[in-house]
């Protein structure tokens, strides 16, 4: 993963657009307000939904719980033409930093 940029949570606004590739139940328990949710398993079928991010000047920041899944999807997304970066520490770091989060039912956000 060293080939890909690491973006510290502190470098992103609370409403930053990031790609969250966690599963639905993880997303429902807590996600960044500006995140786009496409679970890793659905990414190949739904990659066209990322087209608006293709021509941006900055990389598309990708997150999962702690970084493991991101390392598997970044090379594939790069092959599709996307400039990508990893949210350093994933959603655990986001939550730990006290960044804004939303949940499906309005409960307190959790990143187990």
């Amino acid at each position: 993963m060293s080939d890909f940029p690491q973006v510290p949570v502190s470098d992103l606004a609370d409403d930053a657009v990031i790609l969250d590739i966690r599963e639905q139940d993880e997303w429902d328990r807590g996600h960044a307000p500006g995140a786009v949710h496409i679970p890793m398993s659905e990414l190949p079928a739904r990659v066209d939904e990322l087209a608006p991010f293709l021509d941006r000047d900055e990389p598309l920041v990708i997150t999962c719980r702690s970084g493991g899944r991101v390392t598997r999807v970044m090379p594939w997304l790069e092959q599709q033409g996307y400039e990508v970066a990893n949210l350093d520490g994933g959603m655990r770091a986001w939550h730990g930093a006290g960044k804004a989060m939303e949940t499906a039912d309005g409960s307190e956000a959790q990143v187990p």
Side-chain angles (χ1 to χ4, degrees):
M1 187 166 64
S2 59
D3 294 352
F4 295 99
Q6 304 294 307
V7 178
V9 169
S10 58
D11 284 3
L12 295 173
D14 280 6
D15 63 350
V17 176
I18 57 177
L19 172 61
D20 190 328
I21 60 169
R22 296 175 301 153
E23 295 302 317
Q24 188 68 48
D25 64 314
E26 295 174 284
W27 168 266
D28 290 346
R29 283 183 282 198
H31 56 269
V36 173
H37 181 229
I38 303 178
M40 183 174 83
S41 60
E42 298 175 20
L43 202 51
R46 297 177 59 190
V47 71
D48 290 348
E49 294 176 35
L50 298 176
F53 305 105
L54 203 49
D55 296 323
R56 297 193 321 170
D57 290 336
E58 67 266 3
L60 175 60
V61 177
I62 308 170
T63 192
C64 60
R65 186 179 55 141
S66 57
R69 285 169 275 190
V70 171
T71 62
R72 299 203 300 266
V73 303
M74 286 200 305
W76 184 81
L77 280 168
E78 187 178 56
Q79 289 174 347
Q80 310 309 308
Y82 292 89
E83 184 182 350
V84 294
N86 177 51
L87 178 64
D88 194 23
M91 287 308 296
R92 282 186 164 170
W94 183 277
H95 186 249
K99 303 286 270 181
M101 291 186 74
E102 296 177 349
T103 61
D105 61 6
S107 63
E108 186 173 335
Q110 300 174 14
V111 181

